[in-house]
């Protein structure tokens, strides 16, 4: 049996040309991985730190059922987006809606009710704004036309 003919490329190699990953897809995948690592580390450190103050059952239920799996899913789908799997883009966007929505609600609640003159309230507000901006930026990059074209969703 003979192999089907392939067209030679400019660099002298033959075979199927590789797809070039656009910058939006690279940035979305890297941000997804970074965000997943942050959430995963926050969940693990919160579990280790909070066992004494909140009670073992409360932290284990909250962190094991929600925060740690969210971090793993963000990390996994960011890596899958970089490898070009078509299902990774919509999944990453949907997963990032959780921190974007929670931080958006927290920003609104803090602006409405918190005493912003204290350092702790200002630090919390900065963290919530950072989480919201990173989530929203990653969602925008994931939903960009060039990212969707790279994943074959157009």
């Amino acid at each position: 049996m003979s192999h089907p003919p392939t067209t030679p490329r400019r660099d002298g190699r033959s075979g199927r040309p590789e797809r070039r990953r656009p910058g939006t897809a690279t940035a979305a995948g890297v941000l997804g991985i970074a965000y997943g690592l942050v959430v995963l580390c926050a969940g693990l450190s919160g579990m280790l730190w909070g066992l004494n103050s909140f009670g073992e059952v409360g932290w284990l239920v909250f962190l094991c059922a929600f925060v740690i799996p969210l971090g793993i899913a963000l990390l996994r789908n960011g890596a899958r987006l970089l490898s070009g799997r078509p299902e990774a883009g919509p999944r990453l966007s949907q997963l990032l809606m959780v921190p974007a929505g929670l931080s958006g609600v927290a920003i609104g609640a803090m602006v409405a009710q918190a005493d912003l003159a204290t350092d702790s309230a200002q630090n919390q507000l900065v963290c919530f704004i950072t989480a919201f901006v990173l989530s929203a930026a990653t969602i925008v990059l994931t939903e960009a036309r060039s990212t969707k074209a790279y994943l074959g969703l157009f």
Side-chain angles (χ1 to χ4, degrees):
M1 289 198 145
S2 65
H3 294 287
T6 57
T7 56
R9 296 188 295 195
R10 288 185 206 173
D11 57 4
R13 296 182 298 168
S14 63
R16 186 173 159 216
E18 295 179 19
R19 288 187 304 181
R20 292 186 50 93
R21 184 172 52 232
T24 56
T26 303
V30 168
L31 281 173
I33 290 171
Y35 208 109
L37 285 173
V38 167
V39 170
L40 182 63
C41 290
L44 292 174
S45 65
M47 190 168 67
L48 295 174
W49 169 78
L51 285 179
N52 296 329
S53 63
F54 186 62
E56 292 181 19
V57 175
W59 277 108
L60 290 177
V61 168
F62 176 68
L63 293 171
C64 289
F66 179 69
V67 176
I68 294 172
L70 178 65
I72 291 170
L74 287 169
L75 183 68
R76 183 174 156 212
N77 284 299
R80 286 184 172 188
L81 183 99
L82 288 176
S83 68
R85 293 198 180 169
E87 72 277 358
R91 283 185 188 167
L92 187 60
S93 293
Q94 291 169 355
L95 286 169
L96 286 167
M97 294 291 183
V98 174
L102 289 175
S103 58
V105 169
I107 291 168
M110 287 196 72
V111 168
Q113 298 176 354
D115 180 18
L116 296 178
T118 62
D119 287 338
S120 64
Q122 290 176 1
N123 290 340
Q124 286 180 0
L125 187 61
V126 166
C127 291
F128 287 134
I129 290 171
T130 303
F132 181 78
V133 168
L134 285 176
S135 298
T138 308
I139 290 169
V140 167
L141 289 170
T142 304
E143 296 295 324
R145 182 172 292 214
S146 58
T147 303
K148 286 188 172 189
Y150 168 68
L151 295 175
L153 298 175
F154 267 135

